[in-house]
Amino acid sequence: MDEGRTSKGVGKSCILVIVVAGVERFAFKGVASNLVTYLTDVVKLSNSSAAKTVNSWCGVTFMLPLLGAFLADSFFDRYSTILASSFLYVLGLVALTSTAFVWESIPSSKASCSFLLLSLLIISLGQGGYNPCLQAFGAEQLHNDEELPLGKKDQISDVKKSSFFKWWYFGICTGSLLGVSCMSYLQDTFGWGLGFTIPTIAMAISILPFSCGNQCYIHKEPKGGGNKRIQDLIQSIKATASKMISGKITLSAKEVVELELEEKPLCNQKFEYTKSLTEESNNNVASDAKAILRLLPIWAMLLMFAIIFQQPATFFTKQGMTMKRNIGKEFLIPPASLQSAINISIILLMPLYDKIVIPIMRIITQDDKGINVMQRMGIGMFLSIIAMAIAAFVETKRLEISRRSDLPLSIFCLLPQYIILGISDVFTVVGMQEFFYTEVPNNMKTMGMALHLSVFGVGSFLSALLISVIEFITSDKDGKHSWFSDDMSEAHLDMYYWFLALSSALSLMLFVHLCKNYSSKNAGLNQNCK
C-alpha cells in the first residue's frame, strides 16, 4: 500500500485537499466577510439593500452546488470539475477586483452595478462545482483499505471519515480566519483594490499544488447517463412523494421501495435480460429518490440555523460600525474582523473536541460514543439560539447608550455572540457534513455535500426574504424607518434578533421530534436523538 495511503490517519492526498480548501476559504471570506461594508460605503446601498444583496448572493453560491454535484456525478469526474470550476472562480474574482479599481473613476451607474453583480455571479458559478466536489473528492481518498478484513475495514473507515470531516473543517476555518482578519483590515485601511487582489492571487496559486497532486489521488469515474438519470429521478421523486402523502410508504431506510408493477405475460427469453436491467435501474433510481426525500425534513429544520449564520456578515458588522472601535489613538478595529472570533473558537475547540468534549458527553449520556451526529447538530442549534439572545441583549444596551450618551458601547461587547456562534458551528456544521455525506447513496456522495451547502443557500434566500417582509411590516408611512433603518440609533435589530431566536427555538423542537422518529441507514451514525 502507498505510504501516503496507510490506514493510519487521513493520508497525504487528503491533507493536500484540506490545505487547498483552506486557501479557497481565505479567498472567499476575504471577499464575503466585508462585502456589506463595500456595498454601503462604496456602492452606496442602504443597510437593508446591502444585507439582502449579500444574502441573495450567498443563496445563489450555496444553491449552485446542487447543479455542480449532479454534473460531477453524472457527466464529469470530480477532479476535472474542480479544475474547471477553479478557473471560473478565479475569473469571477478578477472581474470583482477590476470593479474596485475602476469604481472611483467611473460614476455609479446601472452598468457598473450590473458588472459588479455579474462578477459575483461568476464567483458563485465557480463555487457551484468547486465546493461539493472538493469535499467529496477529499473524502473519496479515504477508500483505500481493500485488503483489510471487512469488520476492521469498516471500523477504520468510520474513524478516518470522522477525522477527515473534523480536520477538513479545521482547515477551512483556519483559511477563513486569515481571510476575515487580514483582508477586512487591508480593505478598510489600504483600499478595496488591494483587498480584493490578494484573495484573487491566493485562489489562482492554489490551483497549482492541487493539479500537481494528481499522481497520488484516487479517481472514480462518474456513473454516467446523466440525462436519463435526472428524468428517472424526477419521475421517481414524484411517485415516491405521492406515496408518502397517501401513507403507502414510510421514511425508514431499512425498507425497500415497492414498485407497483402491473402483472404481464411472460416475455420472450431474449427480452428477459433487458427487462431485468431496466427494473434494476428503476429500483436504484427510486431508492435514490427516496433517500433524498427522507432527508428533507431534517434539512428543513436546519434552515433557521443557516439564517442565523448570515447575521455576522451583515447586521453584526453594521452594529460594529456604530460602536467604539479604537485601540489607542490611531488603530481602529475593522468591524468585519470580529468574525475572526468565530474561526478562533472553532480552531481552538476542534483539537479539544475528542479529548475534552466527548469524554464529558460520555459521562452525561452514559454512551461510549458520547453523542451521535443528530445530537451534535441539536446541541449546535441550541447554542445558536443562545447567541441570538445575547445579541439581542447587547443591541438593546447599545441602543440605550446611543440615545442618552455620546460615548458609544465598546465593540468588544459583541464578542460573546461571535464566540458562541463559533462553538455552535463546531457542533452543527461538522455534524451536517457527516450526516448528509453518510446518509445519501454511495453513487450520490457529491450530492450529499451539495445538500449540506444548500441548507445555507436556501437559508440565505429566506434571510433576504425575511428582511424584506419585516421591513415592509415595520416601516412608517414614509417607508423610511423600520427595524433596519440606516440610522442605527433608530433601528430595532434587537427585535429582529429576538424573532430569530424564538423561530430557531421552534425549529429545534421540531428537529428533536424528527430525530426521535428517524432511522439512519447507518446504524452506527445515530440510534435516536433522545
Side-chain angles (χ1 to χ4, degrees), residues 364-507:
I364 297 175
T365 63
Q366 298 297 310
D367 190 331
D368 290 339
K369 295 180 180 179
I371 55 175
N372 57 49
V373 173
M374 308 289 275
Q375 291 168 336
R376 181 172 185 166
M377 291 189 289
I379 291 172
M381 294 170 69
F382 175 75
L383 290 174
S384 70
I385 298 171
I386 300 299
M388 291 313 301
I390 292 175
F393 278 120
V394 172
E395 177 62 8
T396 300
K397 189 68 175 178
R398 186 194 70 80
L399 288 171
E400 290 177 358
I401 292 176
S402 67
R403 289 167 182 170
R404 72 166 186 253
S405 173
D406 293 333
L407 297 175
L409 192 66
S410 172
I411 195 173
F412 291 110
C413 292
L414 297 178
L415 280 177
Q417 63 203 56
Y418 280 101
I419 292 172
I420 295 177
L421 274 181
I423 297 173
S424 74
D425 204 311
V426 172
F427 285 90
T428 305
V429 178
V430 178
M432 287 168 61
Q433 291 173 350
E434 185 172 349
F435 173 76
F436 286 110
Y437 182 83
T438 305
E439 291 296 286
V440 297
N442 291 331
N443 63 316
M444 300 181 70
K445 294 303 184 183
T446 313
M447 184 62 71
M449 293 297 95
L451 281 172
H452 146 251
L453 293 172
S454 70
V455 171
F456 294 95
V458 176
S460 299
F461 284 126
L462 289 177
S463 181
L465 177 62
L466 192 60
I467 292 172
S468 296
V469 172
I470 292 177
E471 187 175 30
F472 175 77
I473 294 174
T474 61
S475 295
D476 57 18
K477 294 181 180 179
D478 297 331
K480 294 181 179 180
H481 302 290
S482 67
W483 284 5
F484 312 112
S485 175
D486 288 343
D487 186 348
M488 293 295 287
S489 63
E490 297 180 359
H492 279 286
L493 292 180
D494 54 336
M495 302 298 293
Y496 178 59
Y497 293 158
W498 278 123
F499 176 79
L500 293 182
L502 293 174
S503 300
S504 188
L506 176 61
S507 180

Side-chain angles (χ1 to χ4, degrees), residues 212 271 449:
C212 290
F271 294 114
M449 293 297 95

